[in-house]
Structures are given as structure tokens and as C-alpha cells.
Amino acid sequence: MDIKAFLKEHRIILFILLFALLLRLIFLPYAKFENETARDLTLANQIIDQKELRLKGISSEVDPASTQQSFGPLFYYELVFSQLIYHHPYSAIVLIVTMTLAGITLFYFFIRRYYGKEIAILASILFAFSPWVFAFVSLNFATPSFLLLFVILLYFSLFKIIIEKKDSYLTLTAVSLAVMLQLHLSSVLLLPISFFYLILLRPSVFKSKHLLLALGVAILFFMPFIINTIQNYS
């Protein structure tokens, strides 16, 4: 399919994405910053300015020395990425908006593949313009706002494994879970849910040659947490 045919076929979702982007840009000055925002941006800028390698996860309180409440520091490196592009607090909100739009795009193609074009368009409209997603995710600088894209990636990979029997997507499942566990502890709830669906609907996947690779990739993502734990409790 050439570009012209692609744009014609998917013109509705492109319009939805454009309108969703414009709305978020219009309301960008009203973006919400949580109490810990200054701390998180400060820590991200320390990584940049002082070349400080951070291994500790997200701090549980405003004090950066407080105990961690995530399984790794990936959240801070996402902020570093946004600050390197544009050194301003709003860069984090722009990153969240970008990830939300990417999530809507993936959601559309995910639903279209398994449920049809019409349902995909309707679901994408509800998703893109949901007041909750708009106000409390896209324009809210908080760690749960970074989860959305990875939750969709998780369920996309599970559908691939269970329905299409493509075991290679185990790696994407592992990466999605590993990333989310470094963003917010609520992601722990998705671990038993994912295992339940795989055990119930695709038990043979646990004998797949791709399982070892998925576990290895997950361990790599958790290495900062493992190293930090060893250093502090050895």
C-alpha cells in the first residue's frame, strides 16, 4: 500500500489524532503538576548536568532520599530525554502527550485488527476524547500518565501470543511489564492477570524457546534495581 492509499484508508484516525493533538495543545497551559514534580525534574537535570548515573527508583516522598516505590529508575531517564530535547518543565507534558497519541494510534490498529474498522474508529474516539484520559493522563505530570502506551503494548502482545500463537511477542510482553514496573507500583496487578491469561489460554507458551529471551530482557531492565538493592543491603 502506497502513502496516498494509506492516508486515504486511515484518514479518519488521522483526523482524530490531529484533533486530539490540537485540543491538548490548546489546554497545555492548564497542565497539572504534582507536588513531587520539582523533585523529579531536579533529579533528571542532575543526571544531565552532573553526569550522575541513577540506579534508584522513584522516591516515595518529596525528599529524594526517601525509599523507592518503583523497580528501577527508567522514569527519570524518560524525563532526561524530554529535558534534552527542550529544557523546560512543559517538555515532560509534551512527552506524555506524544506517548498518549502513540497509544491511541496503536490502540486503533490493535482494535481494527481483531474487531474491525468501525469498532476501532468508535473506540478510538472514545479513547482520545475521554475526559479522564484528557484531563488526568495527557495533561497531568504524574508517573501513571506514562503507563498508557505500555499497557496497550502489553495487551497487544498478549493477543499476538494467545490468538495468533506468535511466541516471539513474549519479549514485548516482558519489556512492557518491566517498563511499567519502573513507572508505577500499580503495574504489579498486571503480572498475575497476564500470567492467568497465558496459563489458561496458551499454556504451551511456557515451553517456548522465546521464554528464555523474554526473561533475559526483563532481567536487563531490572539490573539498576538489582544493583541498587545489593549496594544498599549487602
Side-chain angles (χ1 to χ4, degrees):
M1 183 183 293
D2 58 26
I3 296 178
K4 187 176 181 180
F6 178 86
L7 293 176
K8 183 178 180 181
E9 174 67 21
H10 303 291
R11 60 186 181 278
I12 297 178
I13 186 60
L14 292 173
F15 175 77
I16 292 170
L17 290 170
L18 179 60
F19 191 41
L21 174 60
L22 289 174
L23 277 178
R24 284 159 174 80
L25 290 177
I26 290 171
F27 286 93
L28 188 61
Y30 302 98
K32 182 182 178 183
F33 291 84
E34 299 291 344
N35 295 333
E36 297 82 9
T37 299
R39 176 206 64 196
D40 294 333
L41 288 174
T42 299
L43 291 171
N45 285 315
Q46 284 178 359
I47 295 173
I48 298 171
D49 299 333
Q50 302 175 16
K51 306 296 188 293
E52 178 184 305
L53 183 63
R54 183 178 175 86
L55 299 176
K56 185 179 179 181
I58 301 168
S59 300
S60 59
E61 299 175 7
V62 174
D63 180 7
S66 59
T67 56
Q68 59 183 339
Q69 61 170 354
S70 71
F71 292 95
L74 185 60
F75 170 67
Y76 293 111
Y77 290 98
E78 288 185 342
L79 295 184
V80 166
F81 174 74
S82 69
Q83 291 295 301
L84 286 173
I85 294 176
Y86 179 47
H87 192 66
H88 192 282
Y90 276 123
S91 65
I93 298 295
V94 172
L95 178 60
I96 292 170
V97 169
T98 303
M99 292 175 67
T100 302
L101 293 176
I104 295 169
T105 304
L106 176 61
F107 180 76
Y108 166 77
F109 286 104
F110 174 27
I111 300 300
R112 177 180 171 127
R113 182 175 187 85
Y114 295 105
Y115 299 102
K117 180 178 179 180
E118 291 75 15
I119 294 177
I121 291 171
L122 178 59
S124 298
I125 291 172
L126 294 173
F127 185 8
F129 304 111
S130 162
W132 184 86
V133 173
F134 184 79
F136 297 106
V137 176
S138 297
L139 298 176
N140 185 23
F141 182 11
T143 52
S145 299
F146 290 84
L147 290 174
L148 194 60
L149 173 61
F150 300 103
V151 173
I152 298 169
L153 281 170
L154 171 63
Y155 280 95
F156 173 75
S157 65
L158 289 174
F159 268 63
K160 284 285 187 179
I161 295 167
I162 294 170
I163 296 178
E164 299 187 26
K165 295 180 171 53
K166 293 185 177 180
D167 295 349
S168 59
Y169 280 85
L170 274 171
T171 303
L172 181 57
T173 301
V175 169
S176 301
L177 286 168
V179 170
M180 287 190 289
L181 287 169
Q182 296 197 41
L183 296 176
H184 200 271
L185 283 181
S186 62
S187 305
V188 171
L189 296 174
L190 293 174
L191 280 171
I193 293 173
S194 300
F195 278 112
F196 173 77
Y197 279 120
L198 289 174
I199 292 171
L200 181 65
L201 301 174
R202 190 78 203 290
S204 62
V205 78
F206 293 100
K207 300 178 182 178
S208 171
K209 62 181 181 181
H210 297 282
L211 181 61
L212 190 60
L213 175 61
L215 292 174
V217 171
I219 291 171
L220 283 177
F221 270 86
F222 289 121
M223 281 308 296
F225 172 78
I226 295 170
I227 294 171
N228 180 70
T229 301
I230 293 172
Q231 288 177 345
N232 285 279
Y233 297 99
S234 59

